[in-house]
Amino acid sequence: MQWQDRFRRARGEWMLLTFYERFEQVVIQILTGLIAIVIVFAVWNLGLKIFHAVLSPQNFDPTDYSVFQAIFGAIFTVIIALEFKRSLLVVAQRQESIVQVRTVILIALLAIVRKVIILDLASTEALQLFALAAAILALGAVYWLVRDQDRSIEHDQSAQHRKRRQSSA
C-alpha cells in the first residue's frame, strides 16, 4: 500500500507542476542517474586499483606520497560526485527551488582540496600555490557569508513563527 500511496501523491504533485518545472525535474532525474553511474564506476575502479595494489605488494607502498596522492585523489573524486548528486536530489525533491549557492561553494572547495592533495609540491610553481590558496580563502569567506546569511534568515523565520503562535494563543 505504501508504494501506491507514494505513487498517487507523486502523480498529484506532478500534475501541479508547470511545463518548465516538469522539464526541470526530468533533466534533474537524468543527471542524477548519470552521476550515479559515474559514482558506481569510480568506486569500482578505485576498489580494483586498491585490490590490485594489495595483490602486488612490491609496487604498493602506502607510505609513498604518490600512492597516497592517487588513492586520496580518487576518494575525493567520489566524494565530490556524491555531494553533487545530493545537491541535485534536494532540488528533485523540491525542498529547494534552485541549486543552493552553499552547496556549489562546498563542491568547489572539495575540488580545490582534492587538487591540493594530489599536487606535487616539488614541481609546482609558487604562483599556482598562491592562486590555490587565494581560491580557498575566497571560497571559504563566501561560504561563511552565505552560511551566516542562511542562519539569520532561519532566525527571522523562527521569530515570525513564534510571534504567530503567541498571537493566536
Side-chain angles (χ1 to χ4, degrees):
M1 287 302 277
Q2 284 182 341
W3 289 103
Q4 291 174 345
D5 291 339
R6 286 184 185 176
F7 181 73
R8 229 178 274 119
R9 190 174 340 118
R11 187 167 183 250
E13 289 174 3
W14 178 263
M15 298 307 287
L16 296 175
L17 297 177
T18 66
F19 176 76
Y20 181 76
E21 289 171 333
R22 289 178 186 176
F23 170 75
E24 189 179 62
Q25 289 295 308
V26 169
V27 169
I28 289 170
Q29 293 299 328
I30 291 170
L31 287 175
T32 302
L34 292 174
I35 292 170
I37 291 169
V38 168
I39 291 169
V40 167
F41 282 114
V43 170
W44 177 258
N45 190 17
L46 176 63
L48 286 178
K49 283 182 181 178
I50 292 174
F51 184 71
H52 285 293
V54 170
L55 287 180
S56 60
Q58 69 272 13
N59 296 334
F60 181 67
D61 180 14
T63 60
D64 181 20
Y65 189 68
S66 63
V67 172
F68 175 82
Q69 285 176 313
I71 290 173
F72 279 94
I75 289 170
F76 262 95
T77 300
V78 172
I79 290 170
I80 291 167
L82 284 170
E83 185 61 33
F84 185 61
K85 182 179 173 293
R86 189 188 70 76
S87 71
L88 287 175
L89 287 175
V90 168
V91 174
Q93 294 171 352
R94 307 299 295 170
Q95 292 175 357
E96 302 292 338
S97 60
I98 57 171
V99 176
Q100 294 294 297
V101 173
R102 187 175 29 174
T103 304
V104 173
I105 295 168
L106 177 64
I107 293 169
L109 275 168
L110 286 171
I112 293 174
V113 167
R114 179 193 175 278
K115 177 69 175 172
V116 169
I117 287 175
I118 65 171
L119 200 62
D120 183 14
L121 295 176
S123 64
T124 304
E125 295 181 18
L127 190 58
Q128 185 178 2
L129 290 174
F130 180 73
L132 286 171
I136 289 171
L137 287 173
L139 286 170
V142 170
Y143 186 83
W144 179 74
L145 289 171
V146 169
R147 185 196 64 170
D148 195 45
Q149 180 184 13
D150 288 349
R151 282 185 180 170
S152 67
I153 290 171
E154 288 173 7
H155 178 71
D156 292 345
Q157 288 174 346
S158 65
Q160 289 174 355
H161 181 70
R162 272 185 264 130
K163 284 181 183 178
R164 275 188 250 133
R165 276 192 305 179
Q166 289 173 354
S167 65
S168 66

